[in-house]
Amino acid sequence: MKMQIKEFAELTGVSVRTLHYYDEIGLLKPSEVDAQNGYRIYDEKSLERMQEILFYRELDFSLKTIMQILSSPDYDKQQALSRQRQLLIAKKERLEQLIVAIDNVEKGKSFMKNNEYEKLKNKYAEEVKQRWGNTDAYKESESRNTDFSKSAALLDAVFEEFAELNRSSILPDDEAAKVQVERLQQCITDNFYTCTNEILAGLGQMYVADKRFKTNIDKHSEGTAEFVSACIKSYCE
């Protein structure tokens, strides 16, 4: 059974862009490339390898670790699985805490002690207006009836996922990092204002240039702001 890349993508549920990336890094090479038109061709062995990749991706393994598992007979798969299980348990506990926090916000309770998010919003409201008051994004944000505490909680959850990727040694140009940047962009668009790639790139720079933003993001774990910035830069380029 031979398939062109589009057919293979539809069968496995993986985007063509992702397959190109897997080919580029050597994780999943096509079985052959058509000499006449350059089309990538995949076969049953390709499908078996993709199933293995998808299994490890479902367990949140980094692509680097998956390559080690699939290419090295000396790599300790059992140890890798055990370590990943511990990471998933820790992630599960953090997500459960975030779910409880969001539930509390929906019930009208403060997400943070003393409503720190509202304090943060009020503290920098005038500065934000001075810097971005003339932009369409600011005007759109002001026109929305946003539940700031709930929106900030959702954004916080996105940054926690970035921290988890960073702790798992995911690289900024990894497909998982690109997907997470898309989640960030969508979260901002859904809750604050339309986040274009241009705005996103500017935010990536601000996350490390402005100590207040850097400190707030790094509360998830040291280096998270730098990692987010690098992911955004890679995505936008």
Side-chain angles (χ1 to χ4, degrees):
M1 177 177 64
K2 293 187 177 182
M3 295 168 281
Q4 291 187 2
I5 191 168
K6 185 177 180 181
E7 296 174 284
F8 190 74
E10 291 176 352
L11 179 63
T12 59
V14 176
S15 68
V16 171
R17 174 185 173 186
T18 297
L19 291 174
H20 284 169
Y21 181 67
Y22 285 0
D23 182 10
E24 179 184 333
I25 65 175
L27 179 60
L28 177 65
K29 292 284 188 182
S31 58
E32 61 182 276
V33 177
D34 193 302
Q36 293 184 338
N37 52 37
Y39 289 166
R40 294 172 171 85
I41 306 297
Y42 296 85
D43 58 15
E44 291 183 1
K45 288 187 177 180
S46 306
L47 185 58
E48 290 176 5
R49 186 173 176 90
M50 175 55 77
Q51 289 173 336
E52 289 185 285
I53 293 170
L54 292 175
F55 167 72
Y56 289 114
R57 290 301 283 152
E58 189 67 26
L59 293 177
D60 285 345
F61 275 74
S62 69
L63 294 182
K64 179 180 178 181
T65 301
I66 295 174
M67 288 182 68
Q68 290 176 315
I69 292 174
L70 297 183
S71 63
S72 175
D74 299 325
Y75 194 81
D76 193 333
K77 295 182 182 180
Q78 195 61 40
Q79 186 180 59
L81 285 169
S82 177
R83 175 178 177 275
Q84 199 64 17
R85 184 178 185 276
Q86 294 174 353
L87 289 173
L88 288 171
I89 290 174
K91 182 177 181 180
K92 174 177 175 287
E93 291 174 351
R94 284 193 294 273
L95 289 175
E96 286 175 344
Q97 292 172 359
L98 285 169
I99 290 171
V100 170
I102 291 173
D103 286 344
N104 286 338
V105 170
E106 291 181 337
K107 294 175 183 177
K109 298 179 182 179
S110 175
F111 174 68
M112 295 181 69
K113 187 177 180 180
N114 299 323
N115 209 5
E116 293 176 11
Y117 272 126
E118 288 293 344
K119 286 184 176 181
L120 186 66
K121 178 185 179 183
N122 295 332
K123 182 177 181 180
Y124 300 123
E126 187 59 34
E127 178 183 340
V128 169
K129 184 176 181 180
Q130 290 177 359
R131 293 177 66 177
W132 296 293
N134 293 325
T135 65
D136 292 336
Y138 178 84
K139 294 173 183 176
E140 180 184 354
S141 178
E142 285 295 290
S143 67
R144 290 190 183 187
N145 185 23
T146 301
D147 183 337
F148 190 78
S149 293
K150 182 177 179 180
S151 297
L154 293 171
L155 188 60
D156 217 39
V158 174
F159 285 129
E160 174 58 32
E161 290 174 352
F162 270 111
E164 180 65 32
L165 290 177
N166 192 29
R167 287 190 288 267
S168 300
S169 300
I170 294 291
L171 298 176
D173 61 352
D174 191 296
E175 187 65 25
K178 289 182 171 62
V179 170
Q180 189 60 24
V181 172
E182 290 176 350
R183 287 177 181 168
L184 172 63
Q185 189 174 29
Q186 192 61 50
C187 181
I188 295 171
T189 296
D190 290 344
N191 293 281
F192 300 99
Y193 49 81
T194 302
C195 185
T196 64
N197 281 5
E198 182 180 0
I199 291 176
L200 183 66
L203 289 172
Q205 296 174 5
M206 186 176 65
Y207 288 157
V208 291
D210 191 311
K211 290 184 178 180
R212 295 166 299 184
F213 282 95
K214 188 175 187 298
T215 299
N216 187 56
I217 295 173
D218 277 350
K219 70 185 179 185
H220 297 280
S221 65
E222 190 66 30
T224 301
E226 291 282 355
F227 177 69
V228 174
S229 181
C231 291
I232 291 174
K233 182 179 179 181
S234 176
Y235 178 85
C236 290
E237 289 178 349

